[in-house]
Amino acid sequence: MNNLRRLGCSAIFFLTANIPFLYERYPSPWLCVAACCFLVCNVRPTRVNRRLLRRRYRVCADGCELLICFLISASASVLWLLVRLPLWSQGQGRLWLADAVCVFCVEAVAFWNGILRVYLTSAQIGIKWRLIGVICGFLFPVNVAVLCNIIRLALTECRVENEKLRINEARAKEQCCRTKYPLLLVHGVFFRDSEYLSYWGRIPAQLRMNGAVIYYGNHQSAASVQGSGQELAARIKEICRETGCGKVNIIAHSKGGLDSRYAVSRLDMDQYVASLTTINTPHRGCIFADYLLDHIPFAIQEKLASGYNKALRKLWDEQPDFLAAVSDLTASACRKFNEEVPDKPGVFYQSVGSKLNVPSGGRFPLNFSHRLVRRFDGPNDGLVASDSFWWGEQKTFL
């Protein structure tokens, strides 16, 4: 049914665009009706999108419908002009030119109406595809391929995001993310927990919407694992003291996983931590950190570190240490770390990793796949999908 509406809308665009040719054979009232329908279609191209739960998604989806109808009607109009090209030799060149101008104006209205809606409302297409769309706008047929990809990204976004809203509405009473103990979100290296520049994106809001109680680590952006671990230990005690909750569940990203493991194992925080979930934590080291320290001259390293530390002192951190943070992420440092920082039996550990399938992409949910890497109750018991993110003895493969 939606395809029939789309074809009908495209037909209206085509009839309106070719009014000069059609005026000779059809009475003007019918063409006026087509023109009026063209205006209506530009305001609301389909009723199906009214089912979307948010106005932003409805506007974006309507923009995509306009662009699809534009592609269909513009292609048909170009073919029609080519078929009618012999009119030039029959002394009707002005009629052909008038129709070409009308096609350009009508299709331009449909295109700009659609592309502005998509550009102003879509989050998934990002800055990259917006710029590519502008740069390739007049490079046929590259512009058609780019436009099709923009439509695909925006339509998928509307569908996925709307489905998330429906799921949240359906499970609102369940409070499925409510846990016995509050969640402590621990950020990775070179970032801070900020109200204005959210490290965790919309994840905290979704968790709270489904019943979770959330706190942040609030530790420095760059420091040694030991230093960050000490800050986290103090933060954990502070949360337990203020809330009386007894324990916390930690969700840590990147280097934050190493910091949290140190706090739990070496600073006796296992009595205050019920679980530790690490996300993309380099438990066996980070190749980039090794490359940075092995191939970049020490003088340049010190200059970079000095610039970073100086800037972060003025912004957030009290004692940032760029080189200490990077050094603790090397393979050799992590190998020694894993030997000296055993898992605590009373803490539930799990690790999650992700793999980027398309290097040029990466915007969730189109180009991102998630894998459970390790989930266990003891120090050497569990399921392993990839030892790249695992720090224990390899036991069982998924």
Side-chain angles (χ1 to χ4, degrees):
M1 184 63 70
N2 189 43
N3 289 332
L4 290 176
R5 292 194 185 97
R6 187 174 291 167
L7 289 175
C9 187
S10 302
I12 291 172
F13 285 11
F14 174 81
L15 293 174
T16 308
N18 293 277
I19 280 180
F21 277 153
L22 299 173
Y23 184 78
E24 292 182 331
R25 296 188 178 183
Y26 300 97
S28 57
W30 290 106
L31 299 178
C32 291
V33 171
C36 292
C37 291
F38 171 76
L39 296 177
V40 172
C41 288
N42 269 274
V43 175
R44 184 172 293 185
T46 177
R47 291 182 297 175
V48 176
N49 296 332
R50 307 282 73 74
R51 302 172 187 172
L52 298 177
L53 299 179
R54 286 189 179 175
R55 184 173 182 271
R56 181 170 74 87
Y57 305 145
R58 293 195 291 271
V59 173
C60 185
D62 282 348
C64 292
E65 287 296 323
L66 287 170
L67 291 176
I68 293 172
C69 293
F70 157 77
L71 288 173
I72 297 173
S73 61
S75 300
S77 294
V78 170
L79 290 175
W80 178 252
L81 286 172
L82 292 176
V83 170
R84 304 289 288 180
L85 192 58
L87 289 177
W88 277 100
S89 61
Q90 300 173 10
Q92 299 185 34
R94 289 186 178 181
L95 177 61
W96 190 95
L97 186 60
D99 194 83
V101 172
C102 188
V103 166
F104 177 83
C105 294
V106 169
E107 298 298 348
V109 170
F111 171 78
W112 286 107
N113 189 9
I115 200 67
L116 287 176
R117 293 189 190 203
V118 173
Y119 269 40
L120 294 174
T121 56
S122 175
Q124 282 294 322
I125 61 174
I127 296 176
K128 182 184 76 173
W129 282 105
R130 284 176 169 84
L131 290 176
I132 292 175
V134 172
I135 295 171
C136 301
F138 295 98
L139 300 176
F140 182 82
V142 177
N143 53 2
V144 176
V146 170
L147 183 59
C148 289
N149 190 60
I150 288 175
I151 293 171
R152 180 184 63 86
L153 290 173
L155 280 178
T156 304
E157 174 187 359
C158 294
R159 174 178 55 81
V160 172
E161 296 298 335
N162 191 69
E163 185 61 25
K164 289 180 182 178
L165 291 176
R166 291 188 185 278
I167 292 174
N168 278 335
E169 285 188 351
R171 67 185 182 187
K173 296 181 180 180
E174 299 177 10
Q175 296 288 281
C176 60
C177 293
R178 182 177 294 279
T179 55
K180 181 178 180 181
Y181 304 112
L183 302 181
L184 174 60
L185 302 185
V186 179
H187 65 72
V189 70
F190 305 142
F191 287 91
R192 284 297 301 266
D193 296 310
S194 172
E195 179 182 354
Y196 306 102
L197 185 61
S198 177
Y199 178 83
W200 297 93
R202 56 186 174 179
I203 293 174
Q206 290 292 315
L207 289 173
R208 290 193 183 98
M209 187 184 303
N210 289 280
V213 177
I214 293 176
Y215 292 89
Y216 298 96
N218 292 336
H219 52 300
Q220 294 187 88
S221 66
S224 64
V225 169
Q226 179 181 357
S228 296
Q230 292 173 348
E231 289 186 86
L232 288 175
R235 178 61 173 158
I236 292 170
K237 290 182 178 179
E238 179 186 2
I239 294 171
C240 293
R241 183 172 58 253
E242 291 180 357
T243 62
C245 58
K247 292 186 177 183
V248 297
N249 296 297
I250 299 178
I251 299 178
H253 176 250
S254 189
K255 177 178 173 289
L258 301 179
D259 303 334
S260 301
R261 285 176 58 199
Y262 184 89
V264 170
S265 181
R266 299 295 299 275
L267 302 178
D268 299 326
M269 287 298 105
D270 55 309
Q271 57 185 314
Y272 301 107
V273 176
S275 68
L276 170 58
T277 300
T278 64
I279 303 173
N280 285 354
T281 292
H283 296 292
R284 293 196 171 188
C286 175
I287 296 176
F288 178 73
D290 286 277
Y291 178 86
L292 185 67
L293 296 179
D294 292 342
H295 294 81
I296 297 179
F298 184 71
I300 297 179
Q301 293 180 28
E302 285 191 320
K303 187 174 182 179
L304 288 173
S306 177
Y308 180 90
N309 295 339
K310 184 177 180 181
L312 266 293
R313 283 192 193 96
K314 295 181 178 180
L315 295 176
W316 300 301
D317 293 354
E318 294 180 0
Q319 294 180 327
D321 193 336
F322 179 91
L323 285 180
V326 175
S327 299
D328 281 351
L329 292 176
T330 61
S332 57
C334 287
R335 190 180 304 112
K336 181 180 179 181
F337 177 85
N338 292 330
E339 295 173 354
E340 298 177 350
V341 182
D343 301 324
K344 290 292 185 176
V347 179
F348 175 80
Y349 291 85
Q350 61 181 350
S351 181
V352 180
S354 62
K355 177 175 68 73
L356 187 63
N357 290 330
V358 182
S360 62
R363 296 188 67 81
F364 181 81
L366 301 179
N367 297 320
F368 225 64
S369 63
H370 297 264
R371 295 184 299 170
L372 178 64
V373 177
R374 188 190 189 202
R375 184 170 183 169
F376 62 99
D377 296 301
N380 291 313
D381 180 24
L383 299 175
V384 182
S386 170
D387 61 7
S388 298
F389 305 103
W390 190 53
W391 63 88
E393 178 186 355
Q394 188 166 311
K395 297 286 288 186
T396 307
F397 283 89
L398 285 175

Short mmCIF file of all heavy atoms in Angstrom, two decimals, residues 32 162 211 239 287 325 333 366:
data_model
loop_
_atom_site.label_atom_id
_atom_site.label_comp_id
_atom_site.label_asym_id
_atom_site.label_seq_id
_atom_site.Cartn_x
_atom_site.Cartn_y
_atom_site.Cartn_z
N CYS A 32 -4.76 21.97 -12.89
CA CYS A 32 -4.83 22.74 -11.63
C CYS A 32 -4.97 21.80 -10.44
O CYS A 32 -4.38 22.03 -9.37
CB CYS A 32 -6.00 23.71 -11.68
SG CYS A 32 -5.75 25.07 -12.85
N ASN A 162 12.24 4.58 16.26
CA ASN A 162 10.82 4.47 16.61
C ASN A 162 10.53 3.15 17.31
O ASN A 162 9.73 3.09 18.25
CB ASN A 162 9.97 4.59 15.34
CG ASN A 162 8.50 4.76 15.65
OD1 ASN A 162 8.05 5.79 16.16
ND2 ASN A 162 7.71 3.73 15.36
N GLY A 211 14.61 2.50 34.86
CA GLY A 211 14.70 2.21 36.29
C GLY A 211 16.07 2.23 36.92
O GLY A 211 16.19 2.03 38.13
N ILE A 239 29.97 7.02 47.31
CA ILE A 239 28.61 6.65 46.88
C ILE A 239 27.95 5.74 47.90
O ILE A 239 26.78 5.93 48.27
CB ILE A 239 28.67 5.95 45.50
CG1 ILE A 239 29.14 6.93 44.43
CG2 ILE A 239 27.30 5.39 45.12
CD1 ILE A 239 29.42 6.28 43.08
N ILE A 287 47.61 -1.57 20.91
CA ILE A 287 48.67 -1.50 19.90
C ILE A 287 49.08 -0.05 19.63
O ILE A 287 50.27 0.24 19.43
CB ILE A 287 48.19 -2.16 18.59
CG1 ILE A 287 47.93 -3.65 18.83
CG2 ILE A 287 49.22 -1.98 17.48
CD1 ILE A 287 47.37 -4.37 17.63
N ALA A 325 49.38 7.56 31.58
CA ALA A 325 48.17 6.90 31.08
C ALA A 325 48.48 6.04 29.86
O ALA A 325 48.01 4.90 29.76
CB ALA A 325 47.12 7.95 30.74
N ALA A 333 52.97 -3.56 29.76
CA ALA A 333 52.40 -3.09 31.02
C ALA A 333 51.15 -3.89 31.39
O ALA A 333 50.95 -4.25 32.56
CB ALA A 333 52.06 -1.61 30.92
N LEU A 366 23.97 0.73 12.14
CA LEU A 366 24.12 0.17 10.80
C LEU A 366 25.41 -0.61 10.62
O LEU A 366 25.43 -1.61 9.94
CB LEU A 366 24.05 1.31 9.78
CG LEU A 366 22.76 2.11 9.80
CD1 LEU A 366 22.83 3.22 8.76
CD2 LEU A 366 21.57 1.21 9.52
#
